[in-house]
Amino acid sequence: MTKLSARDAVASLLAEYVHLIDEDRLEDWIELFVEDGTYNILSRENVDAGYPLELMSCNSKDMLRDRILSLREANLYNLHHAKHVLGAVAVLDSTDGVWTLQANCSVYQTNRQGRTDLFAVATYRDTVVFEDGAPRFKDKVVVVDTFAVARMLSTPI
Amino acid sequence: MATAMSLEWPVDDFTRIPFAAYHDDEVYVEEQERIFRGPTWCYLGLEAEIPNAGDFVTTLVGDTPILLNRQHDGAVSAFINRCMHRGTLLERECRGNASMHTCLYHQWSYDLGGQLRAIPFMRGHNGEGGMPADFEPSSISLDSMHVDVYNGVIFGSFSDSVEPLVDYLGPTVRADIDRIFNRPIKLLGYQRQRIFGNWKLYNDNVRDPNHGALLHMFHATFGLYRPTQTGGIRMDERHRHSTSYSAMGTSDDEDDAKAFADTKKVFDEGFHLRDESMLQYVKEYPDDVSLIILSVFPNLVVQQITNSLCTRQIQTVGPGELELYWTYFGYEDDDEEMTRHRLNQANLVGPGGLISMEDGEAVELVQRAVLREQDQHAFVEIGGKGDIVDQEYLVTEMPIRGFWSYYYELMGIEPAAEAG
């Protein structure tokens, strides 16, 4: 794969990521992570103050699977459609096949009556590797500026 | 509009709660005076947040901005976060360290005891302007709260006649605080959750162990907590505070199948987590209790959910909104593995909590649905009517009635109608 097409593939991974969440295809969304991939949502307040607490933390793909199973079978949350608006993807590093990316996103939630609220603005800090020729998330860190969470944090950011 | 005086209480055992109390603007304003600035002790923070002289945090008591800091002599003090000159918010950051608190507007500076120390151009410039000749900076200090600390937990009161903190908490609450704050703690971080409902609906929520396995289906689906487990509720003698407690692994599948018969699926043996590390309880207290929800009137919850420990502060944003401010901690002597375990279990609670996320939705649904039903009442009889008493079971909402009995007293409401 050429360098340029690898870059395109990495950028399109982020696009696929947000579309799968917004289409509620969360089981497919999980497959964008490698088996020992991690997914952590951090509050900017804690990051700035040096505290380790996450808003959501999945330290393995199994924990991601559990999170989505719980959403499907156990949790009751505010009924909404999510829409992510993804900003430009910056490639910070791509040494030895390990890609470090940064991108901003905003997430809107629309309720059953068609009213839309801005739910979060956040920064993705991602580590992406290629597995069987396809880019997959090794570590995905979401730092939310909107750490005063409106209602609840149910579906992924 | 209603006032606290005109809220209708059809029975005197608080099994009926007037919906107007959740919505009315005048009731809300009166609560700020009679409850948050009344003869209560409000939770302000933890000593571990301000270990050094000059450390401060800004917080809210009800909706009053508060500046909490540690003085040079080690004492903790709290003030209204407002400059005495023209009323500007004094400290804008959530936390920090300052040797003086200087107002950005005109640079009036206060020491850590709240005493005004300096005013620029106090005697004017070239003999002109400035403060009147008889002005003494020492005559001005920040409006302060009484502060008392119990086992590292900081409380404040605006009332000169409030009872001592130890009496306000009472022996049952003190025992629960002593148990969790049994050695130095280590802060792990904060979470915030905006809930679009009245602050008392959240107080009701944490005094209602019955909803645990009905609203929060994570428990039931994956078998972490069931109302058929050993547990119960206990209150202080005024019933204003309450503790719900339970122990893990004290019910079996057969009991649960019976208990949940004829209801919508709330208990299902079919689902298992792939990674059960989150459900492991590392026993760390002398007893077997794995769940404590301690609610201290009017604005504090202290939580132990297995090894996840935190305080939740209830801040009011108006009659229809509250913010929950979650402060998570472990112990100073935790090793890295234990800290990671507590952080892992923090997935269970907070705004993204697998167990607790539903509370925000339930509170909002009540708030929205009762807007035009303000002459109607909530129906609170689970666990029984009449006397408000401790119970050794969890299918109860008795502590809600305890909260309201004390609310009623503080709000100076006239005696109720005929007993029901």
Side-chain angles (χ1 to χ4, degrees):
Chain A
M1 193 177 286
T2 67
K3 195 77 173 170
L4 184 66
S5 70
R7 180 178 287 258
D8 285 348
V10 165
S12 68
L13 175 69
L14 267 83
E16 195 179 358
Y17 173 98
V18 298
H19 287 306
L20 287 175
I21 296 174
D22 293 350
E23 290 164 13
D24 195 31
R25 293 167 57 193
L26 299 176
E27 290 76 7
D28 296 332
W29 169 83
I30 294 169
E31 297 310 318
L32 300 182
F33 291 80
V34 298
E35 200 58 38
D36 61 345
T38 68
Y39 174 67
N40 287 289
I41 302 180
L42 307 179
S43 153
R44 181 166 184 160
E45 176 171 43
N46 289 333
V47 172
D48 289 351
Y51 290 120
L53 179 71
E54 299 93 352
L55 274 164
M56 186 186 288
S57 74
C58 297
N59 297 316
S60 68
K61 201 161 167 177
D62 274 344
M63 287 184 74
L64 273 177
R65 293 183 178 109
D66 290 341
R67 181 54 82 160
I68 300 307
L69 179 67
S70 181
L71 270 186
R72 297 294 192 217
E73 300 296 338
N75 293 125
L76 303 165
Y77 49 92
N78 59 316
L79 301 172
H80 68 270
H81 296 295
K83 279 284 182 294
H84 286 64
V85 180
L86 182 66
V89 179
V91 176
L92 304 181
D93 190 34
S94 61
T95 310
D96 298 332
V98 179
W99 295 67
T100 311
L101 313 176
Q102 181 168 329
N104 293 339
C105 77
S106 35
V107 186
Y108 297 85
Q109 288 188 349
T110 302
N111 73 6
R112 285 290 186 267
Q113 285 72 40
R115 290 170 179 262
T116 302
D117 290 322
L118 176 62
F119 178 68
V121 290
T123 300
Y124 294 136
R125 302 181 192 283
D126 301 337
T127 305
V128 172
V129 296
F130 279 78
E131 195 177 67
D132 300 329
R136 292 288 177 259
F137 293 106
K138 171 71 178 70
D139 301 302
K140 186 162 188 86
V141 175
V142 185
V143 181
V144 290
D145 285 359
T146 317
F147 52 78
V149 177
R151 297 185 171 86
M152 71 207 71
L153 179 59
S154 53
T155 48
I157 294 174
Chain B
M1 285 217 210
T3 63
M5 295 301 226
S6 68
L7 291 174
E8 283 182 26
W9 304 85
V11 290
D12 68 359
D13 66 356
F14 302 98
T15 54
R16 298 293 182 279
I17 300 164
F19 287 139
Y22 299 123
H23 270 281
D24 191 82
D25 290 330
E26 287 188 18
V27 168
Y28 176 80
V29 170
E30 222 166 306
E31 288 167 350
Q32 297 296 318
E33 284 307 314
R34 289 176 177 262
I35 293 177
F36 294 103
R37 295 187 179 215
T40 60
W41 286 98
C42 290
Y43 170 71
L44 299 178
L46 299 173
E47 276 205 294
E49 296 178 273
I50 48 171
N52 304 310
D55 286 349
F56 71 85
V57 298
T58 55
T59 183
L60 291 171
V61 165
D63 57 16
T64 299
I66 299 296
L67 170 58
L68 175 71
N69 72 202
R70 188 175 294 276
Q71 297 179 236
H72 289 293
D73 65 0
V76 174
S77 44
F79 320 100
I80 296 183
N81 188 7
R82 169 179 69 87
C83 181
M84 302 307 286
H85 174 210
R86 297 262 292 281
T88 317
L89 195 72
L90 199 52
E91 284 290 355
R92 297 181 296 165
E93 294 287 355
C94 297
R95 57 194 68 82
N97 183 281
S99 53
M100 301 280 279
H101 300 297
T102 302
C103 178
L104 67 80
Y105 201 169
H106 306 91
Q107 295 188 33
W108 287 34
S109 291
Y110 301 85
D111 67 21
L112 302 177
Q115 177 67 57
L116 180 65
R117 288 296 175 189
I119 297 177
F121 304 112
M122 190 166 77
R123 299 300 171 213
H125 182 60
N126 291 335
E128 293 177 311
M131 298 295 284
D134 62 352
F135 175 75
E136 280 298 330
S138 62
S139 67
I140 290 187
S141 55
L142 298 174
D143 280 340
S144 64
M145 296 185 84
H146 299 284
V147 171
D148 203 353
V149 181
Y150 185 76
N151 233 335
V153 187
I154 307 169
F155 295 85
S157 179
F158 281 109
S159 169
D160 294 331
S161 58
V162 68
E163 64 199 289
L165 177 63
V166 290
D167 298 335
Y168 180 79
L169 297 174
T172 59
V173 173
R174 292 203 308 268
D176 285 325
I177 292 179
D178 291 345
R179 177 176 171 280
I180 290 179
F181 293 89
N182 63 66
R183 58 194 193 277
I185 62 163
K186 177 169 67 179
L187 289 175
L188 298 178
Y190 302 98
Q191 293 177 345
R192 298 168 187 258
Q193 183 175 12
R194 298 172 61 200
I195 295 180
F196 299 97
N198 187 269
W199 68 277
K200 300 185 297 298
L201 283 172
Y202 193 75
N203 267 291
D204 293 345
N205 177 277
V206 290
R207 287 170 173 78
D208 164 23
N210 178 54
H211 85 276
L214 301 172
L215 173 69
H216 302 308
M217 290 160 66
F218 180 85
H219 283 123
T221 306
F222 300 112
L224 182 61
Y225 157 97
R226 308 163 186 181
T228 44
Q229 287 174 326
T230 301
I233 50 119
R234 54 178 173 257
M235 289 169 274
D236 65 308
E237 63 176 14
R238 309 283 291 272
H239 310 123
R240 52 196 170 186
H241 320 304
S242 89
T243 300
S244 304
Y245 58 92
S246 71
M248 280 179 93
T250 49
S251 73
D252 62 33
D253 290 351
E254 197 180 329
D255 281 351
D256 285 307
K258 268 188 227 158
F260 285 111
D262 304 322
T263 64
K264 195 175 161 225
K265 183 207 82 177
V266 288
F267 173 66
D268 194 322
E269 302 170 51
F271 294 106
H272 297 283
L273 296 179
R274 282 166 175 259
D275 184 332
E276 295 202 322
S277 60
M278 204 186 290
L279 306 186
Q280 302 309 311
Y281 176 45
V282 179
K283 185 169 146 65
E284 57 181 335
Y285 303 107
D287 53 51
D288 290 322
V289 173
S290 56
L291 182 143
I292 289 276
I293 300 292
L294 164 63
S295 309
V296 181
F297 192 100
N299 75 333
L300 171 65
V301 179
V302 180
Q303 164 208 302
Q304 174 209 352
I305 292 183
T306 54
N307 300 108
S308 177
L309 309 174
C310 70
T311 61
R312 312 173 189 171
Q313 183 191 39
I314 302 167
Q315 304 177 351
T316 69
V317 184
E321 185 178 342
L322 68 101
E323 180 172 316
L324 279 186
Y325 185 66
W326 309 65
T327 305
Y328 289 74
F329 57 88
Y331 298 107
E332 263 183 16
D333 60 7
D334 285 348
D335 60 18
E336 203 173 316
E337 190 186 347
M338 190 62 185
T339 297
R340 194 55 247 172
H341 177 63
R342 292 191 203 281
L343 293 170
N344 187 15
Q345 284 195 336
N347 277 300
L348 296 171
V349 287
L354 289 162
I355 289 173
S356 70
M357 70 167 82
E358 291 89 0
D359 288 321
E361 178 72 355
V363 164
E364 181 174 345
L365 292 179
V366 176
Q367 186 77 13
R368 278 164 41 192
V370 304
L371 174 63
R372 285 293 155 247
E373 312 298 331
Q374 293 188 36
D375 56 344
Q376 301 292 309
H377 296 79
F379 179 77
V380 189
E381 292 191 0
I382 299 175
K385 300 190 280 187
D387 290 343
I388 300 170
V389 293
D390 290 0
Q391 296 174 322
E392 289 182 357
Y393 45 85
L394 293 164
V395 185
T396 181
E397 54 197 2
M398 183 81 76
I400 294 177
R401 294 167 50 208
F403 173 90
W404 286 94
S405 70
Y406 190 59
Y407 174 90
Y408 180 91
E409 185 182 325
L410 281 182
M411 293 291 278
I413 297 165
E414 291 296 308
E418 286 299 296

